[in-house]
């Protein structure tokens, strides 16, 4: 699948992804893939995708034509993906079926988001999480989480922490590989609470 990470520290965030695409047992590495980028951009938002290889083109197209999408909070991300779900079904032929017992239709997407307001994760049933320090997604996530947890307090740079996470995933997960791509984002200052 992949290794995706997102990190926040101080006034900076970083989001990173490996570059391997897999089709069953076949690996399409960066040296063969002319477009191995797993991130899409929408304004100040950087969105790293994992799941079906089709997601990249679908979301590039969707975000290039969509208007007034908002990724600035947990509730706004939920609302954005709720709206996108019907567009994915109607215009991109998304098959929303996963398991018979699922409570909701699936978007079949797992994504991490970095923007000036925070770092977030979105999952197939439109579950949205906001993270305080870091998170990872994809098949290499456990290795990435362990590496970032071990070094988060020792490293000052969000880019360095993100690189450590993806490199760990690429080292130990058979479905992740280098090179990696990393993007940094300047964060808005957090509001101060009056005492």
């Amino acid at each position: 699948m992949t290794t995706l990470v997102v990190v926040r520290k101080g006034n900076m965030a970083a989001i990173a992804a490996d570059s391997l695409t897999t089709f069953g047992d076949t690996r399409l590495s960066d040296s063969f893939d002319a477009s191995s980028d797993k991130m899409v951009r929408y304004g100040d938002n950087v969105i790293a995708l994992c799941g079906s290889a089709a997601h990249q083109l679908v979301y590039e197209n969707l975000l290039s034509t969509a208007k007034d999408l908002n990724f600035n909070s947990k509730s706004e991300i939920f609302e954005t993906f709720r709206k996108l779900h019907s567009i994915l079904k109607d215009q991109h032929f998304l098959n929303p079926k996963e398991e018979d017992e699922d409570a909701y239709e699936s978007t079949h997407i797992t994504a991490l988001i970095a923007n000036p307001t925070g770092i977030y994760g979105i999952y197939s049933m439109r579950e949205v999480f906001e993270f305080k320090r870091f998170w990872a997604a994809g098949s290499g996530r456990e290795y990435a989480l362990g590496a970032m947890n071990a070094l988060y307090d020792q490293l000052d740079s969000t880019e360095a922490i993100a690189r450590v996470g993806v490199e760990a995933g690429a080292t130990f997960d058979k479905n992740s590989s280098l090179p990696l791509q990393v993007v940094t984002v300047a964060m808005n200052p957090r509001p101060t609470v009056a005492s």
Side-chain angles (χ1 to χ4, degrees):
M1 196 189 324
T2 194
T3 301
L4 308 176
V5 303
V6 66
V7 180
R8 178 180 186 153
K9 193 168 192 179
N11 62 353
M12 292 299 293
I15 188 166
D18 78 308
S19 56
L20 182 66
T21 299
T22 56
F23 306 96
D25 291 333
T26 304
R27 296 165 46 97
L28 178 62
S29 69
D30 177 70
S31 59
F32 290 94
D33 189 353
S35 58
S36 61
D37 189 356
K38 295 182 180 177
M39 294 191 231
V40 293
R41 289 158 183 79
Y42 182 84
D44 292 339
N45 304 281
V46 184
I47 304 166
L49 305 164
C50 66
S52 170
H55 289 330
Q56 187 72 27
L57 252 135
V58 167
Y59 276 84
E60 285 173 0
N61 176 271
L62 185 62
L63 295 175
S64 72
T65 58
K67 303 284 187 254
D68 301 323
L69 301 179
N70 193 326
F71 298 91
N72 291 327
S73 71
K74 187 175 170 178
S75 61
E76 290 167 340
I77 292 169
F78 171 80
E79 184 61 22
T80 292
F81 274 87
R82 190 188 66 75
K83 288 177 188 175
L84 291 177
H85 186 71
S86 62
I87 296 169
L88 287 166
K89 285 175 32 179
D90 296 342
Q91 296 177 20
H92 297 278
F93 311 105
L94 172 74
N95 176 2
K97 186 101 167 126
E98 263 189 37
E99 304 293 330
D100 287 335
E101 65 273 0
D102 286 343
Y104 301 98
E105 291 183 350
S106 173
T107 61
H108 298 281
I109 188 78
T110 297
L112 298 178
I113 301 168
N115 66 40
T117 68
I119 58 173
Y120 306 92
I122 179 106
Y123 296 88
S124 64
M125 300 294 169
R126 288 161 299 287
E127 310 102 310
V128 181
F129 296 90
E130 182 174 4
F131 307 112
K132 292 181 178 179
R133 297 167 32 118
F134 59 84
W135 199 248
S139 55
R141 71 187 169 279
E142 292 170 353
Y143 307 111
L145 287 168
M148 292 188 299
N149 189 58
L151 295 174
Y152 183 86
D153 292 329
Q154 297 172 31
L155 298 173
D156 293 327
S157 161
T158 56
E159 181 175 343
I161 298 164
R163 284 184 180 279
V164 164
V166 174
E167 288 168 355
T171 299
F172 297 105
D173 174 46
K174 69 178 181 175
N175 294 312
S176 301
S177 184
L178 299 176
L180 63 85
Q181 180 187 21
V182 62
V183 177
T184 57
V185 177
M187 304 296 297
N188 293 338
R190 287 189 172 159
T192 55
V193 178
S195 50

